[in-house]
Amino acid sequence: MGKLSCAIDTSAAISLGSTSKFQLATMHFLFISTNRVKKELIEISKTTDELGKIANNILQSHLIKFINLEENLQSSKGEIEVINLADKLNADLVLMDDIQARNKFQKQCNSPIRFSPFIIFLLYERNMLTYNEGWSAIEKMKTKREWKENLIIEYAKQLFDIKVKKLAQ
């Protein structure tokens, strides 16, 4: 099975980068994004906080292939550019952690849009991570992104709970 192409926006890149599982994920996914997202990561990397360090690590490790979009597909918003990139390249999926943008853009995008924990779940499902390793990665993501119990965490719980229930049957 070849790698799945995954168009990723800034928020999802930071989330995955906070888990220490981004490198492992590149064994199964080709992460692509736009130069707008690269610019956003560069801006974030200039800060000295935890997210700045994560953004810097993402940029230094070359885990994402950044692509320059044609002018008519460019936007001032990274999310819109990632949707345009996904449609242009027929990406297998889009990763986006902006809850409102995800709901808004799903209707316009030909690829399914998922939250970043989906990648962690797929690594677990493919036996690349144990349940505890997968859930630990989600907890790191939650802590470093300073998420409370939000829709993204509920989504992750549902993914992992469904799998556990299937295994128990």
Side-chain angles (χ1 to χ4, degrees):
M1 176 187 339
K3 290 184 179 184
L4 296 175
S5 61
C6 180
I8 187 168
D9 81 344
T10 308
S11 61
I14 293 290
S15 296
L16 269 182
S18 71
T19 67
S20 74
K21 303 301 179 198
F22 210 151
Q23 182 74 42
L24 178 63
T26 62
M27 294 175 62
H28 294 277
F29 301 94
L30 171 62
F31 293 100
I32 55 174
S33 199
T34 66
N35 283 330
R36 161 84 47 216
V37 169
K38 184 177 185 178
K39 288 177 187 174
E40 291 175 1
L41 287 169
I42 289 169
E43 283 304 309
I44 294 168
S45 75
K46 291 177 182 175
T47 66
T48 57
D49 63 5
E50 184 73 21
L51 297 183
K53 292 174 190 171
I54 292 167
N56 188 53
N57 287 339
I58 292 167
L59 292 166
Q60 296 302 314
S61 58
H62 305 286
L63 300 172
I64 302 171
K65 179 181 180 183
F66 294 103
I67 298 168
N68 193 32
L69 284 176
E70 292 87 358
E71 197 168 321
N72 65 321
L73 297 177
Q74 292 179 9
S75 169
S76 62
K77 295 188 178 267
E79 295 89 353
I80 293 172
E81 281 199 357
V82 168
I83 297 297
N84 290 342
L85 177 67
D87 285 345
K88 176 185 175 194
L89 299 180
N90 296 315
D92 294 303
L93 69 130
V94 174
L95 279 188
M96 183 178 293
D97 283 351
D98 183 320
I99 296 168
Q100 292 174 339
R102 178 184 180 263
N103 294 335
K104 177 181 174 183
F105 294 130
Q106 183 59 78
K107 297 175 187 104
Q108 302 168 11
C109 186
N110 296 324
S111 303
I113 301 175
R114 301 289 183 254
F115 294 125
S116 55
F118 186 70
I119 298 297
I120 302 300
F121 173 74
L122 288 180
L123 292 174
Y124 162 62
E125 195 167 62
R126 293 177 178 186
N127 296 315
M128 300 294 295
L129 296 174
T130 65
Y131 176 90
N132 288 339
E133 291 169 332
W135 196 250
S136 176
I138 300 296
E139 287 293 330
K140 277 186 186 176
M141 194 182 289
K142 177 182 170 185
T143 300
K144 289 184 181 179
R145 294 305 309 267
E146 298 180 357
W147 291 335
K148 305 287 185 231
E149 294 299 317
N150 69 7
L151 181 63
I152 297 173
I153 296 303
E154 288 303 313
Y155 169 81
K157 285 179 183 176
Q158 287 179 355
L159 288 173
F160 279 82
D161 286 350
I162 289 168
K163 177 72 174 185
V164 168
K165 286 177 185 172
K166 282 183 183 178
L167 291 174
Q169 293 177 347

